[in-house]
Amino acid sequence: MQPVEETGPSDPQTPTLPVLQSLEIDSIKLAILITYIVTRTHMPALVELAVNLVNITKVEGEALLSLLQDRNPSMKKLQLTGDALNLTTRGFFTQLRDLELCAPIDTYTSECLERIIKSNPQMTRLVTYNTTQPRTRPTLNTSFLETVAQACVDMLEIRVPLDTLDFPWAAEEKTPPAQLERLKDLVLDPLHIQPDAMAPFARYLTRLCPVLETFETTTLHPGLGPGIPTPEAPTQEEVDNSKLMENLVYEAQVDNSE
């Protein structure tokens, strides 16, 4: 894709959409159009943007996001789809309330997302959809959820992949340093967890999210034994344990209320 020459908002030849608040370009065939609109059109009122950047390189995507940050610093809702997203651009946005990412797990590291949420304490929704093989180990762990609890007190909905393998759940109860006091909906997809950690992790989640109304998960268990190849799709045990994990959370909620 050839770069499009940028024009500034003060250029008299720059097309202007003065009242446009929401823009969605969700076709992988429109990468050139995305670049053209962002670089050649002034949209001062834009606060909601959904774009598919699958056919845009990492460098081009970073340039587009940087330009959007400069021109639309009051962006409230951002939906990004792409295999080469770069969320490490300088500053990022600081007034986001809703961030949705559809990308490979390794696109959004824990450090990157923590920096974004700390810059956007008003955020109420954080949603990610994994486009890679589900057994790719997530970079996010329970420390990330605790950081969200400390940084975004109004968070209502979270959907992230989560890795719980580095904490000895069966031997020690983990107490969160802060709570997601308003979180209503939580989806952990996938959730990398050992079977014997499911019950203590469920108790931890109810302490972290005291008013949770909806919980969904896809559990994956690492290592099926020596010499046993790991399948790409969830095993029947993992499918059954996904439902069990959800039930354990609801049961822990009942125990906490008694």
Side-chain angles (χ1 to χ4, degrees):
M1 185 178 67
Q2 297 296 321
V4 179
E5 182 180 355
E6 177 187 340
T7 61
S10 60
D11 189 330
Q13 296 183 344
T14 301
T16 299
L17 298 170
V19 297
L20 182 68
Q21 295 184 335
S22 180
L23 175 65
E24 179 176 356
I25 305 176
D26 194 30
S27 172
I28 62 175
K29 298 179 181 181
L30 298 179
I32 295 178
L33 177 59
I34 294 169
T35 303
Y36 182 88
I37 290 175
V38 171
T39 58
R40 301 294 296 270
T41 306
H42 183 40
M43 300 172 284
L46 187 67
V47 292
E48 296 184 4
L49 176 67
V51 291
N52 192 318
L53 304 179
V54 169
N55 283 346
I56 290 180
T57 68
K58 189 173 183 179
V59 172
E60 291 167 336
E62 180 178 1
L64 287 177
L65 287 177
S66 293
L67 183 59
L68 281 167
Q69 292 168 49
D70 291 339
R71 291 188 176 181
N72 303 93
S74 299
M75 190 74 67
K76 299 293 190 298
K77 181 177 181 179
L78 186 63
Q79 296 174 300
L80 300 175
T81 299
D83 296 331
L85 298 181
N86 184 0
L87 303 180
T88 61
T89 53
R90 57 176 178 81
F92 208 71
F93 298 91
T94 60
Q95 297 188 40
L96 288 177
R97 298 188 64 84
D98 187 325
L99 177 62
E100 183 173 312
L101 306 173
C102 183
I105 280 180
D106 56 5
T107 298
Y108 40 88
T109 65
S110 178
E111 293 77 13
C112 173
L113 284 186
E114 285 182 7
R115 176 179 55 80
I116 291 175
I117 63 173
K118 288 178 180 178
S119 297
N120 293 273
Q122 70 286 337
M123 191 178 293
T124 61
R125 183 174 183 265
L126 174 63
V127 171
T128 66
Y129 294 96
N130 174 34
T131 61
T132 52
Q133 209 280 338
R135 294 193 184 276
T136 302
R137 189 170 178 179
T139 62
L140 309 182
N141 56 31
T142 54
S143 294
F144 173 75
L145 293 180
E146 293 169 1
T147 298
V148 177
Q150 294 171 319
C152 302
V153 297
D154 293 325
M155 187 67 71
L156 299 174
E157 178 183 355
I158 295 176
R159 179 190 180 107
V160 292
L162 200 72
D163 176 22
T164 67
L165 301 178
D166 290 336
F167 187 82
W169 297 97
E172 181 181 349
E173 289 284 339
K174 184 176 176 64
T175 301
Q179 291 182 315
L180 289 158
E181 296 181 346
R182 300 187 62 192
L183 191 74
K184 302 294 185 182
D185 303 302
L186 176 63
V187 178
L188 302 178
D189 184 18
L191 170 64
H192 286 225
I193 192 169
Q194 295 287 8
D196 62 355
M198 292 170 56
F201 179 65
R203 294 192 293 272
Y204 164 80
L205 279 184
T206 59
R207 292 193 295 271
L208 178 68
C209 314
V211 297
L212 195 64
E213 295 179 356
T214 303
F215 174 67
E216 298 178 13
T217 188
T218 300
T219 61
L220 295 177
H221 306 316
L224 301 179
I228 302 177
T230 301
E232 290 188 4
T235 65
Q236 187 58 51
E237 178 188 13
E238 291 170 330
V239 172
D240 294 341
N241 280 349
S242 295
K243 186 61 178 178
L244 175 60
M245 184 71 235
E246 293 169 2
N247 289 336
L248 286 171
V249 169
Y250 295 132
E251 290 172 3
Q253 286 181 316
V254 173
D255 292 340
N256 286 345
S257 64
E258 294 179 349

